[in-house]
Amino acid sequence: MQYRRFGKTNLHLSVFSLGTMRYLADVKNAQETIFAALALGVNHVETARGYGKSEEYLGASVKGGLTVPRSQVYITTKIPPTVDADSMRRYINESLERLNLNYLDCLGIHGLNTWEHIQWIQANNGCMKAVQEAVDDGRVHHVGFSTHGSLDIILAAINTDFFEFVNLHYYYFFQRNAPAIQLAADKDMGIFIISPADKGGRLYTPPQTLTDLCQPYSPLELNYRFLLSDHRVTTLSLGPATSDELIKPLQVADSVHPLTVLETLAFQRLEEHEKSALKTDKCSQCYACLPCPENINIPEVLRLRNLAVAYDMNNYGKYRYGMFENAGHWFPGMKANRCTECGECLPRCPENLNIPDLLEDTHERLSGKSGRRLWS
């Protein structure tokens, strides 16, 4: 296991962190998963107030005695932003009680996803007043935020200079947040990548087309290497449902060197295949088409189409597309069939894409059952 400095927190975290959203079966399974992760060198465990009984299960492990000294394991919990300080005070105390801790190594403001959330953290008597009190009295050592928001919101949150770390989406198949990665690095913030296996493309069950293109690597391994070779990135979330699911991902936990020639060739092969498969229908993800009068997240819809057409990533596309209209500010936007063919997006597109036709095609390909966030 390799370890990296988590930005200005000066904590040295394992390059994989144990995320606890999926170990919700029972306390025994949670304890087994936590202890197995610690034995394999993971020294950072991340939970959240909203992850079912995750805090309680982690707290039971803390109370029963971790397999390493408390000073050698870093614990993060996340609490959503609140409009007032009193609510945040109560939430911090409740989380500490559930976790059986007298301090948090890291507290993340969970889901700074909207401009209203930015206003809340900037308010004089908002949630950050209570967070600062907890920092001052030692109950919280370091403060950051997690986000599923748009790039402009993420940049605004980073530029408040309130935070020491950021949890965000960034993968080979989703590089929209690259400017946020660079800004966070410039400000010496720790950078935590959310769910690279699942949100990064459901790469634990890749389609055959993608598997063949990534040879001699697996798609998941290649995505991990894309991230671990970037030394701005501190740690990647690992969300096993059982301890057995730790083994395969951690096989690359020492592979933090620059990309090899073979890996670079694999990425080039992916790019060339995408261009060939999509031809003139490729969305370049410039976001110039927005805003859409019907609130369709056109670039994200067309990103899912890119992946489905180029790599047969249909299951991933259906999974993510089903979140539209069902996950609130965690995955905003309407489904593509809401398009009225108003044509406002057409003159903005530098590729001259027939966006209404591509939206219709995407809906036909990916429309399936509706989804929702696992922990909601």
Side-chain angles (χ1 to χ4, degrees):
M1 180 67 68
Q2 297 294 305
Y3 301 85
R4 286 179 174 169
R5 177 177 169 273
F6 198 37
K8 65 184 74 175
T9 70
N10 284 318
L11 303 177
H12 282 78
L13 303 188
S14 48
V15 294
F16 282 94
S17 293
L18 177 64
T20 60
M21 185 192 293
R22 295 180 64 235
Y23 73 6
L24 304 179
D26 54 60
V27 67
K28 181 176 181 291
N29 177 65
Q31 288 179 314
E32 288 176 353
T33 305
I34 292 166
F35 293 162
L38 295 175
L40 290 165
V42 173
N43 72 349
H44 180 220
V45 183
E46 190 220 34
T47 183
R49 175 182 174 85
Y51 290 174
K53 293 187 175 182
S54 174
E55 285 187 331
E56 294 175 34
Y57 291 168
L58 177 52
S61 299
V62 170
K63 186 175 182 179
L66 296 171
T67 53
V68 298
R70 170 70 179 96
S71 61
Q72 294 177 22
V73 57
Y74 303 115
I75 295 176
T76 295
T77 198
K78 304 191 298 294
I79 296 174
T82 62
V83 70
D84 63 283
D86 285 343
S87 295
M88 181 58 73
R89 289 188 189 99
R90 183 172 73 255
Y91 292 165
I92 291 172
N93 288 334
E94 288 173 355
S95 286
L96 285 168
E97 183 176 353
R98 281 194 289 262
L99 289 163
N100 283 301
L101 296 174
N102 54 21
Y103 73 90
L104 290 166
D105 298 281
C106 297
L107 170 66
I109 305 303
H110 194 191
L112 289 186
N113 298 338
T114 70
W115 288 111
E116 184 178 40
H117 294 155
I118 299 295
Q119 292 174 353
W120 291 357
I121 65 170
Q122 292 177 319
N124 289 334
N125 197 39
C127 56
M128 296 306 292
K129 180 179 180 181
V131 171
Q132 188 58 53
E133 291 170 359
V135 171
D136 291 342
D137 65 25
R139 287 175 296 143
V140 170
H141 289 181
H142 304 285
V143 180
F145 73 98
S146 71
T147 180
H148 293 226
S150 60
L151 176 60
D152 52 352
I153 290 173
I154 299 172
L155 296 174
I158 292 172
N159 276 322
T160 63
D161 292 323
F162 292 163
F163 303 109
E164 297 172 273
F165 65 89
V166 56
N167 301 11
L168 78 170
H169 295 283
Y170 176 70
Y171 325 106
Y172 175 72
F173 290 119
F174 179 75
Q175 298 182 41
R176 169 66 175 170
N177 288 337
I181 295 286
Q182 186 57 52
L183 181 61
D186 291 343
K187 290 180 176 289
D188 194 26
M189 295 174 67
I191 297 174
F192 180 111
I193 302 299
I194 300 170
S195 188
D198 186 64
K199 305 302 188 297
R202 280 203 164 178
L203 300 177
Y204 42 80
T205 54
Q208 192 62 49
T209 298
L210 183 60
T211 299
D212 292 344
L213 287 165
C214 292
Q215 291 296 331
Y217 311 99
S218 72
L220 182 57
E221 181 183 4
L222 210 54
N223 190 46
Y224 283 150
R225 285 288 297 124
F226 171 78
L227 295 166
L228 292 175
S229 65
D230 186 341
H231 279 251
R232 298 173 302 175
V233 171
T234 308
T235 187
L236 315 181
S237 175
L238 193 62
T242 66
S243 58
D244 291 342
E245 293 182 7
L246 289 164
I247 305 302
K248 191 172 182 179
L250 292 183
Q251 289 175 353
V252 298
D254 287 325
S255 301
V256 298
H257 48 272
L259 292 175
T260 66
V261 172
L262 274 179
E263 289 167 342
T264 301
L265 287 173
F267 285 122
Q268 290 175 353
R269 195 159 54 245
L270 288 168
E271 292 170 12
E272 290 166 3
H273 183 82
E274 182 186 42
K275 289 177 184 177
S276 174
L278 289 164
K279 299 182 175 62
T280 58
D281 286 343
K282 180 185 175 182
C283 172
S284 66
Q285 299 289 285
C286 68
Y287 280 62
C289 54
L290 297 181
C292 168
E294 303 305 321
N295 196 32
I296 299 168
N297 188 341
I298 297 170
E300 180 61 13
V301 171
L302 296 189
R303 181 183 77 92
L304 298 176
R305 183 184 184 276
N306 284 353
L307 298 178
V309 172
Y311 308 120
D312 293 335
M313 294 172 67
N314 295 293
N315 288 338
Y316 172 69
K318 290 175 182 178
Y319 157 56
R320 296 303 283 167
Y321 188 76
M323 302 294 285
F324 286 124
E325 304 183 26
N326 291 287
H329 60 73
W330 296 97
F331 197 66
M334 308 301 287
K335 286 186 166 66
N337 64 332
R338 304 284 185 171
C339 177
T340 62
E341 301 188 30
C342 69
E344 286 192 20
C345 56
L346 295 175
R348 302 182 195 142
C349 178
E351 280 87 29
N352 296 313
L353 298 178
N354 189 330
I355 293 174
D357 281 1
L358 295 177
L359 291 176
E360 181 180 4
D361 179 73
T362 307
H363 187 74
E364 290 175 358
R365 288 174 183 272
L366 303 181
S367 182
K369 68 177 184 178
S370 298
R372 63 179 186 137
R373 292 185 56 73
L374 177 65
W375 50 270
S376 62

